[in-house]
């Protein structure tokens, strides 16, 4: 329990010090808050609102709000902060490791200058609900926050403004931290870390040295995405349509000597261990596809000379479909293939060079885009198909990548869509060698599936696979190429080694030196870590391809401490991915200066139980983290094979719906359903107040025949649809924002922001507040008491409460937060019908509300007379006895016609049911004074009362 200090509590009989309007009227003695407790004076000032700001303007604001969140929320945020309410002990003396643990983590945010928008708190609120819930269930909870703060954006801002990236990074972090605290997230801020701090990246550098020792870090000359304007190498995902994602600068492909990490050595383990993870199947499938394990064969195609004779050059291709080898009608080399210069004829030389230059300006993503039109050039040379001796042309095309397989493919246009398009465009022969039962006579379109092999035999080579199924044929071809030494069986991966160097200043220095006399690479001793960044005033690109760190001449020139020889430091820095690969481990032991993480703490806290973040990190960040974790597992630093037990991808919050009207060339509005016939058209944004809904469409209010385009977009500055959470908190409060983001829909789904929607949850919180505290006074303020009474609850109240407990508990555990909120709304609706509100019913409800709306819950808990924070109170448990339905709604018929219903106990007898019907206001008018002839009663189903019909004599009046 975290005890609320006694100096926070006023003298009796006042029990609740936290209503500022109350204490402005009945002053709390200042001497109660002594110099002995400086925090108490600050809290006193907060409670009594002694600042100049606390006057009539604030009173007016309270009148216009559903409840006084503007007082409650800052007060409890101050309390949590000053009392370190959510601090997780990091020493054995205070951390009871016999208790169960729960490690819940948000994906490392990058602190940009723009601050948060309302999309960011979606995942943060979900993890906070889980953290608060587990604390209340008795778990030791680790819920930390930190910053992934190295990288290109900060460096570019430094170049543009002349501000040191460290300065802007600290400023951005401060802004993010302030915003997160304003939302009441229960982070342990004592564990806050930043990748830019030397005490942190010392251990990033240490991990790099372990990779170097194991032969998993090496240097190689590889083609990279080089951006001359930014002066750095970019990752594939940082290049869009041939230009840099940041700045829109042209990007070219060029070979550079780079540090690489041998992630391919862990390909099988990264693939196999996915099966045991509680991750979304879509994410696991994306990783499987990225790793791209395939089994097939490497086949050698001999290059032919101008005279048609075999040369010493061979083109090795990798194929997963050896069964189609008789259908090969051309080979394709990647523009960066190392053999290219030796297989291009003199006549084609200039054309090929131009094509290679054009290809260098495209990203890998552009080159392999399935929808794009294929392009290529003929090399002027041929190769020999080993299975039938045919001479086949060698082409160069950018849809083949030098980084995948061997950088060459055997093209089978009859059985591959890309090859088929290419063959049609360049008039290359197409030979069908596989047929299926479904399309045995259709030789117009490519067939990529398996089937029965045809047209696949050669007496010269002795290979005949006709009539075999594809799988059998593939096995026979592989046996043949191995026997004739034309190739071998091969397992291949799409996964490439990790390019681990950037030509940037703002990144972790790579801890190696190169000896001046022979260029030998020497790791710096671990005792000399961290190798810190030198101070630089000029971060601009050198223009030569050399990194900005080359400008720090006195830092670059050094001496190898082991040999005493002159040396120079590595001037490339690590990519931004480096610091975010292992931060989850440092949170377990953030101040350890002796080791990366204490083994005992790692064994207790690891792995992360729930990891929440965006799907955009599904592949690279998660894959890189898993790779580093497995290396650390192999060297005994961690005790688990995987870092994250459960991964949850929250959906995206889109900006508010925008309504666009189409206009023709004359500026007249036209309906959106006719724009295809119009061709080109203009669009004009229409304010929401001028829009109405008609059926499933939105139309102009003034002209319903004009259908509009209604669309929500991802929040961005350029679209002007970013919602600042500060504005929402100011108007509705943090608890309302938290609740609304959870109530919008399932956590994993994308949803559209609607500011009017937040008013609904704000009203719910207001109703909950007034239900417990009572109606406001005439001036809009509230007294410090509650309306809860010390009386025994009714059976109906107990049932309503325990149904709510069961539902909220189940929905939090299943991360279905929206339906948990619905259950609490139903409870409040029911509670408003009760004459009295027993305290034993109110308190469990406040506990249920606490993970969702922690500020209000803390305030209500205090008002209910408690002197400890609600954060560690036991979460309510549903009593099964109150979950059973003991009453049923019984239909009552009079002479076979249903006239109403009555609520009866399940065990109700016929006499009891009839008595209840007789007492019912609606039914009694049918029964009073009537003679009952017969009663038909089916327990729990129906009561039918047969009355004697009144006789009327003919002719009587």
């Amino acid at each position: 329990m975290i005890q609320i200090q006694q100096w926070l509590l006023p003298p009796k009989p006042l029990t609740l010090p936290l209503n500022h309007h109350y204490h402005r009227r009945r002053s709390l003695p200042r001497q109660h808050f002594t110099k002995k407790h400086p925090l108490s004076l600050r809290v006193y000032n907060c409670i009594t609102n002694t600042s100049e700001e606390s006057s009539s303007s604030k009173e007016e604001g309270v009148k216009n709000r559903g409840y006084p969140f503007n007082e409650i929320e800052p007060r409890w945020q101050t309390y949590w902060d000053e009392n370190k309410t959510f601090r997780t002990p990091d020493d054995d003396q205070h951390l009871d490791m016999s208790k169960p643990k729960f490690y819940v983590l948000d994906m490392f945010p990058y602190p940009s200058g723009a601050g948060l928008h309302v999309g960011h708190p979606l995942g943060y609120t979900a993890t906070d609900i889980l953290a608060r819930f587990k604390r209340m269930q008795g778990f030791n909870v680790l819920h930390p926050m930190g910053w992934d703060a190295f990288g290109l954006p900060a460096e570019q801002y430094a170049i543009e403004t002349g501000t040191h990236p460290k300065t802007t990074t600290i400023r951005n972090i401060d802004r993010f931290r302030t915003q997160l605290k304003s939302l009441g997230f229960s982070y342990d801020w004592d564990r806050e870390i930043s990748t830019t701090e030397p005490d942190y990246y010392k251990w990033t550098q240490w991990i790099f040295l372990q990779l170097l020792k194991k032969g998993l870090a090496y240097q190689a000359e590889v083609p990279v995405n080089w951006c001359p304007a930014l002066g750095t190498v970019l990752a594939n995902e940082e290049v869009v349509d041939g230009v840099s994602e940041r700045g829109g600068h042209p990007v070219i492909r060029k070979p550079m000597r780079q540090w690489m990490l041998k992630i391919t050595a862990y390909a099988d383990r990264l693939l196999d261990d996915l099966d045991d993870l509680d991750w979304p199947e879509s994410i696991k499938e994306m990783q499987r596809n990225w790793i791209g394990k395939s089994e097939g064969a490497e086949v050698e195609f001999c290059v032919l000379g101008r005279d048609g004779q075999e040369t010493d050059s061979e083109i090795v291709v990798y194929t997963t479909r050896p069964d189609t080898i008789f259908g090969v009608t051309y080979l394709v080399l990647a523009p960066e293939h190392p053999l290219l210069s030796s297989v291009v004829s003199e006549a084609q030389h200039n054309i090929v060079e131009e094509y290679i230059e054009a290809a260098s300006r495209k990203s890998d993503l552009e080159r392999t885009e399935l929808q794009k039109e294929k392009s290529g050039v003929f090399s002027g040379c041929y190769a020999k198909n080993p299975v039938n001796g045919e001479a086949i042309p060698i082409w160069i095309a950018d849809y083949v990548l030098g980084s995948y397989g061997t950088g060459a493919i055997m093209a089978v246009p009859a059985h591959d869509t890309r090859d088929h398009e290419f063959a049609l465009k360049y008039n290359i022969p197409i030979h069908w060698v596989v047929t299926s039962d479904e399309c045995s006579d259709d030789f117009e379109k490519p067939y990529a599936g398996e089937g029965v092999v045809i047209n696949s035999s050669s007496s010269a080579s002795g290979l005949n696979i006709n009539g075999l199924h594809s799988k059998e044929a593939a096995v026979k071809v592989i046996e043949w190429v191995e026997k004739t030494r034309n190739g071998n069986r091969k397992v291949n991966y799409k996964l490439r080694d990790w390019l681990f160097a950037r030509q940037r200043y703002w990144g972790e220095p790579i801890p190696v030196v190169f000896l001046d006399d022979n260029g030998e690479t020497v790791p710096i001793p671990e005792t000399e870590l961290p190798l810190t960044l030198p101070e630089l005033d000029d971060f601009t690109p050198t223009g030569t391809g050399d990194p900005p760190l080359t400008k720090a001449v006195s830092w670059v020139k050094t001496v190898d401490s082991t040999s005493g020889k002159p040396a120079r430091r590595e001037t490339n820095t690590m990519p931004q991915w480096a610091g975010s690969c292992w931060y989850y481990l440092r949170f377990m032991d953030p101040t350890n200066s002796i080791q990366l993480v204490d083994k005992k703490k790692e064994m207790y806290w690891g792995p992360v139980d729930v990891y929440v973040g965006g799907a955009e990190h599904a592949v690279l960040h998660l894959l890189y983290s898993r790779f580093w974790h497995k290396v650390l597992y192999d060297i005994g630093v961690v005790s688990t094979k995987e870092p994250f037990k459960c991964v949850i991808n929250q959906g995206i919050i889109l900006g508010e719906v925008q309504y666009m009207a189409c206009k023709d060339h004359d500026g007249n509005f036209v309906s959106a359903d006719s724009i295809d016939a119009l061709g080109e058209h203009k669009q004009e944004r229409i304010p929401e107040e001028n829009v109405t809904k008609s059926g499933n469409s939105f139309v102009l209010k003034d002209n319903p025949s004009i259908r509009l385009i209604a669309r929500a977009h991802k929040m961005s500055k350029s679209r002007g649809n970013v919602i600042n959470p500060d504005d929402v908190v100011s108007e509705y409060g943090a608890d309302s924002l938290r609740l609304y983001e959870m109530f919008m829909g399932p956590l994993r789904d994308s949803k559209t922001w609607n500011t009017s929607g937040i008013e609904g949850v704000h009203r719910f919180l207001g109703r909950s507040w007034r239900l417990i505290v009572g109606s406001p006074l005439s001036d809009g303020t509230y007294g410090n008491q509650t309306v809860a009474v010390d009386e025994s609850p009714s059976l109906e109240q107990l049932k309503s409460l325990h149904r709510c407990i069961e539902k909220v508990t189940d929905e939090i555990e299943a991360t279905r937060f929206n339906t948990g909120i619905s259950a609490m709304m139903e409870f409040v609706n029911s509670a408003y019908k009760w004459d009295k509100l027993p305290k034993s019913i109110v308190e469990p409800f406040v506990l249920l509300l606490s993970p969702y709306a922690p500020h209000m819950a803390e305030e209500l808990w205090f008002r209910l007379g408690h002197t400890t924070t609600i954060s560690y109170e036991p979460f309510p448990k549903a009593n099964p006895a109150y979950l059973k339905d003991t009453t049923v709604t019984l239909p009552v018929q009079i002479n076979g016609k249903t006239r109403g219903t009555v609520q009866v106990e399940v065990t109700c007898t016929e006499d009891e049911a009839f008595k209840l019907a007789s007492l019912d206001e609606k039914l009694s008018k049918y029964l009073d004074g009537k003679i009952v002839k017969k009663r038909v009663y089916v327990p729990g189903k129906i009561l039918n009362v047969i009355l004697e019909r009144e006789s009327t004599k003919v002719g009587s009046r």
Side-chain angles (χ1 to χ4, degrees):
M1 291 286 188
I2 292 183
Q3 184 74 25
I4 294 180
Q5 289 89 331
Q6 287 303 309
W7 43 262
L8 263 177
L9 302 177
K12 299 293 184 182
L14 296 178
T15 56
L16 301 170
L18 297 180
N19 183 285
H20 111 214
H21 290 285
Y22 180 85
H23 287 297
R24 252 186 325 111
R25 288 164 177 71
R26 298 175 60 179
S27 59
L28 191 64
R30 186 178 175 87
Q31 60 267 28
H32 180 73
F33 297 86
T34 66
K35 290 181 180 179
K36 200 170 177 183
H37 301 291
L39 170 61
S40 67
L41 289 174
R42 288 197 291 276
V43 175
Y44 172 85
N45 290 337
C46 177
I47 293 169
T48 59
N49 219 357
T50 54
S51 66
E52 296 177 7
E53 186 187 4
S54 64
S55 54
S56 60
S57 62
K58 273 207 166 181
E59 284 187 40
E60 188 62 32
V62 171
K63 290 179 184 179
N64 297 328
R65 292 181 168 94
Y67 67 101
F69 64 82
N70 59 317
E71 306 162 29
I72 294 169
E73 293 179 355
R75 179 156 61 234
W76 285 104
Q77 288 164 19
T78 299
Y79 173 79
W80 294 330
D81 204 30
E82 298 284 5
N83 289 274
K84 299 185 184 297
T85 301
F86 307 112
R87 183 178 180 274
T88 303
D90 55 7
D91 56 278
D92 298 343
Q93 185 178 354
H94 297 96
L95 182 64
D96 181 3
M97 290 190 178
S98 65
K99 291 173 64 177
K101 65 91 181 180
F102 184 70
Y103 185 1
V104 58
L105 184 63
D106 298 296
M107 286 191 182
F108 229 14
Y110 184 87
S112 70
L116 300 173
H117 62 64
V118 292
H120 292 108
L122 179 64
Y124 303 157
T125 303
T127 58
D128 195 59
I129 291 171
L130 291 171
R132 289 176 177 276
F133 174 65
K134 288 295 184 180
R135 282 193 201 95
M136 297 172 78
Q137 286 191 321
F139 284 72
N140 286 326
V141 173
L142 182 55
H143 186 38
M145 176 51 71
W147 320 105
D148 186 15
F150 272 132
L152 186 59
E155 183 157 325
Q156 280 304 111
Y157 185 80
I159 293 170
E160 293 164 8
T161 64
T163 310
H164 197 285
K166 184 175 183 179
T167 304
T168 56
T169 297
I170 291 173
R171 184 170 65 233
N172 294 345
I173 286 174
D174 288 344
R175 173 155 171 70
F176 262 59
R177 188 191 304 110
T178 299
Q179 287 185 297
L180 290 176
K181 285 188 175 183
S182 76
L183 294 171
F185 297 133
S186 61
Y187 294 123
D188 178 359
W189 288 107
D190 281 4
R191 292 177 183 257
E192 180 183 2
I193 57 178
S194 168
T195 57
T196 61
E197 293 301 321
D199 287 348
Y200 179 84
Y201 68 70
K202 164 186 178 178
W203 297 104
T204 310
Q205 293 172 334
W206 181 86
I207 295 172
F208 178 84
L209 293 180
Q210 311 316 305
L211 292 162
L212 197 59
K213 285 179 189 176
K214 288 178 64 68
L216 296 170
Y218 66 96
Q219 285 187 294
E221 190 165 281
V222 294
V224 297
N225 300 314
W226 170 252
C227 179
L230 297 178
T232 188
V233 169
L234 299 177
N236 286 335
E237 63 275 5
E238 295 171 324
V239 181
V240 180
D241 296 330
V243 298
S244 62
E245 185 179 34
R246 185 173 181 85
H249 305 295
V251 176
I252 62 172
R253 297 281 287 178
K254 78 174 205 176
M256 291 183 70
R257 191 158 185 80
Q258 300 285 296
W259 280 101
M260 309 290 293
L261 297 188
K262 207 169 188 179
I263 190 173
T264 50
Y266 282 73
D268 280 325
R269 288 168 64 182
L270 290 168
L271 190 63
D272 295 342
D273 292 346
L274 282 170
D275 295 338
D276 299 326
L277 296 177
D278 180 16
W279 290 18
E281 274 306 313
S282 59
I283 300 302
K284 294 200 281 189
E285 196 57 31
M286 287 170 72
Q287 289 215 358
R288 291 186 186 106
N289 291 337
W290 190 268
I291 295 167
K293 182 177 181 180
S294 60
E295 297 182 6
E298 281 188 345
V299 182
E300 297 169 357
F301 288 75
C302 185
V303 177
L304 301 177
R306 273 186 263 179
D307 57 0
Q309 298 300 308
E310 296 182 12
T311 67
D312 293 334
S313 296
E314 290 176 333
I315 295 173
V316 179
V317 303
Y318 172 75
T319 178
T320 59
R321 293 294 302 273
D323 56 309
T324 65
I325 194 166
F326 281 92
V328 176
T329 58
Y330 64 104
L331 298 183
V332 183
L333 303 187
E336 53 275 350
H337 195 284
L339 283 180
L340 210 56
S341 58
S342 63
V343 298
V344 176
S345 69
E346 189 174 336
Q348 292 292 101
H349 180 268
N350 290 340
I351 297 173
V352 171
E353 284 298 312
E354 288 177 10
Y355 186 81
I356 293 171
E357 170 64 23
S360 72
R361 293 193 292 271
K362 299 179 182 179
S363 70
D364 289 356
L365 192 62
E366 286 178 277
R367 287 170 54 178
T368 55
E369 176 62 45
L370 293 176
Q371 280 72 37
K372 84 175 188 75
E373 185 179 355
K374 306 299 178 286
S375 67
V377 290
F378 177 43
S379 70
C381 292
Y382 292 79
K384 176 185 173 183
N385 187 333
V387 297
N388 58 17
E390 289 184 2
I392 53 178
I394 302 170
W395 284 73
I396 298 98
D398 63 8
Y399 74 86
V400 176
L401 302 178
S403 59
Y404 177 62
T406 64
I409 66 163
M410 59 178 219
V412 187
H415 305 291
D416 182 276
T417 303
R418 292 182 310 170
D419 297 346
H420 189 264
E421 291 175 13
F422 194 89
L424 290 179
K425 181 174 180 178
Y426 294 105
N427 200 27
I428 301 172
I430 299 173
H431 295 161
W432 270 263
V433 292
V434 178
T435 185
S436 73
D437 295 335
E438 290 80 15
C439 56
S440 56
D441 297 325
D442 184 4
F443 294 120
E444 296 300 321
K445 296 179 181 179
Y447 171 64
E450 295 180 342
V452 177
V453 176
I454 59 173
N455 304 325
S456 298
S457 67
S458 170
S459 57
S461 67
L463 180 62
N464 182 357
I465 54 174
N466 280 331
L468 298 178
H469 188 271
S470 291
K471 283 187 169 59
E472 297 173 90
V475 171
K476 191 168 182 179
V477 171
I478 293 172
E479 291 172 351
W480 182 88
V481 296
E482 288 186 324
K483 182 179 178 181
T484 59
R485 298 187 178 180
N486 282 298
N488 55 276
R489 188 183 306 273
K490 179 76 173 178
V491 175
N492 206 11
Y493 301 87
K494 286 182 182 177
L495 182 66
R496 301 294 91 194
D497 280 346
W498 177 6
L499 177 62
F500 196 76
R502 297 292 186 270
Q503 289 66 50
R504 299 175 188 162
Y505 166 69
W506 196 235
E508 298 93 335
I510 295 175
V512 300
V513 298
F514 305 101
L515 300 182
D516 286 353
D517 58 0
N518 59 11
E520 180 187 350
T521 303
V522 180
I524 70 171
E526 293 176 11
T527 54
E528 294 181 14
L529 298 178
L531 172 61
T532 57
L533 277 174
E535 290 295 324
L536 271 186
D537 297 324
D538 180 11
F539 319 104
T540 56
T542 60
T544 62
D546 294 323
L549 278 179
T550 56
K551 298 177 182 180
V553 178
S554 60
W555 181 84
V556 174
K557 290 183 177 180
T558 188
V559 174
D560 171 31
S561 59
T562 304
S563 65
K565 293 180 179 180
R568 60 182 177 83
R569 297 194 188 280
E570 171 62 82
T571 53
N572 286 310
T573 53
M574 298 185 196
Q576 186 177 342
W577 302 105
S580 62
C581 272
W582 70 280
Y583 71 103
Y584 59 94
L585 292 172
R586 193 62 178 172
F587 278 138
M588 299 175 185
D589 195 12
T591 60
N592 195 327
S593 60
I594 308 300
Q595 54 189 331
L596 184 149
V597 60
D598 177 79
K599 285 192 175 183
K600 188 175 181 182
K601 292 176 183 177
E602 184 278 326
M603 289 180 71
Y604 178 70
W605 287 116
V608 175
D609 293 285
V610 176
Y611 192 31
V612 177
E616 66 272 17
H617 301 298
V619 176
L620 295 181
H621 163 62
L622 290 175
L623 198 65
Y624 292 158
S625 294
R626 295 180 63 223
F627 166 47
W628 275 32
H629 191 89
K630 290 181 184 300
V631 174
L632 293 173
Y633 176 78
D634 290 347
I635 63 176
V637 174
V638 298
S639 59
T640 62
K641 292 182 180 180
E642 288 286 339
F644 314 117
K645 185 187 296 183
C646 172
V647 168
I648 296 174
N649 293 132
Q650 85 269 16
I652 297 171
I653 292 185
L654 303 172
E656 293 196 79
V657 174
Q658 295 181 352
Y659 301 97
M660 308 298 293
C662 299
K663 285 187 169 182
D664 60 21
H665 293 293
D666 298 325
N668 300 314
F669 285 124
V670 292
S671 188
D673 48 16
S674 63
I675 59 174
D676 289 339
L678 283 172
E680 291 187 16
H681 62 278
K682 295 180 181 178
Q683 290 188 1
E684 178 181 307
R685 187 169 176 180
I686 304 297
E688 187 175 0
E689 58 267 22
N690 297 340
V691 177
T692 187
K693 193 167 186 182
S694 175
N696 293 324
S697 303
F698 292 92
V699 297
L700 284 175
K701 267 186 183 176
D702 296 340
N703 187 354
S705 66
I706 302 299
R707 188 165 68 83
L708 305 176
I709 298 171
R711 190 173 296 156
H713 300 274
K714 188 175 180 180
M715 289 188 184
S716 67
K717 283 185 185 178
S718 60
R719 291 192 179 274
N721 64 348
V722 173
I723 305 293
N724 189 329
D726 297 350
D727 298 334
V728 180
V729 169
S730 175
E731 187 170 357
Y732 297 101
D735 283 345
S736 292
L737 176 59
R738 290 168 60 109
L739 232 67
Y740 177 57
E741 297 219 348
M742 294 297 97
F743 193 58
M744 290 171 77
L747 175 63
R748 295 160 178 81
D749 292 357
S750 293
K751 37 255 178 193
T752 303
W753 179 268
N754 185 346
T755 300
S756 61
I758 199 171
E759 294 173 358
V761 294
H762 185 66
R763 284 194 299 272
F764 160 67
L765 287 175
R767 293 188 77 223
S768 301
W769 172 263
R770 292 187 297 277
L771 173 71
I772 298 169
V773 174
S775 301
L777 304 175
S778 58
D779 63 356
T781 63
Y782 292 86
N784 73 315
Q785 304 299 325
T786 69
V787 299
V789 296
D790 289 319
E791 292 187 10
S792 297
S794 68
L795 181 61
E796 177 195 353
Q797 289 171 330
L798 287 168
K799 285 181 178 181
S800 182
L801 171 68
H802 284 270
R803 287 194 189 104
C804 186
I805 292 172
E806 181 188 43
K807 185 68 173 176
V808 172
T809 303
D810 290 347
E811 301 308 82
I812 290 179
E813 288 177 340
T815 65
R816 294 187 296 259
F817 304 113
N818 55 321
T819 47
I821 296 170
S822 296
M824 289 187 284
M825 288 178 171
E826 290 173 10
F827 172 85
V828 169
N829 287 340
S830 298
Y832 263 96
K833 300 173 185 176
W834 302 334
D835 294 332
K836 294 180 180 179
L837 199 64
K839 192 174 180 181
S840 59
I841 296 294
V842 173
E843 289 188 341
F845 171 72
V846 174
L847 291 169
L848 294 179
L849 185 64
S850 177
Y852 288 89
H855 306 89
M856 177 184 281
E858 284 279 21
E859 180 79 8
L860 293 173
W861 193 246
F862 225 39
R863 284 168 173 268
L864 286 164
H866 298 278
T867 58
T868 55
T869 173
I870 199 172
S871 303
Y872 293 86
E873 292 294 326
F875 200 78
K877 293 182 179 179
N879 187 335
Y882 298 120
L883 300 178
K884 298 175 183 176
D885 284 325
T886 58
T887 63
V888 294
T889 301
L890 183 72
V892 178
Q893 293 182 343
I894 308 295
N895 289 337
K897 188 172 183 178
T898 302
R899 297 294 186 179
T901 61
V902 290
Q903 288 294 122
V904 300
E905 294 292 323
V906 172
T907 56
C908 180
T909 64
E910 180 180 326
D911 288 340
E912 290 169 337
F914 180 74
K915 183 178 180 180
L916 288 169
S918 302
L919 295 172
D920 183 83
E921 183 179 352
K922 185 178 179 181
L923 294 168
S924 61
K925 64 182 180 181
Y926 296 101
L927 298 173
D928 287 350
K930 304 294 192 299
I931 298 173
V932 176
K933 184 178 180 181
K934 183 181 178 184
R935 295 192 310 225
V936 178
Y937 178 62
V938 180
K941 299 293 183 181
I942 196 168
L943 170 65
N944 188 9
V945 181
I946 311 298
L947 303 177
E948 280 193 0
R949 296 186 182 277
E950 296 179 0
S951 59
T952 304
K953 294 181 179 178
V954 177
S956 66
R957 294 185 180 184

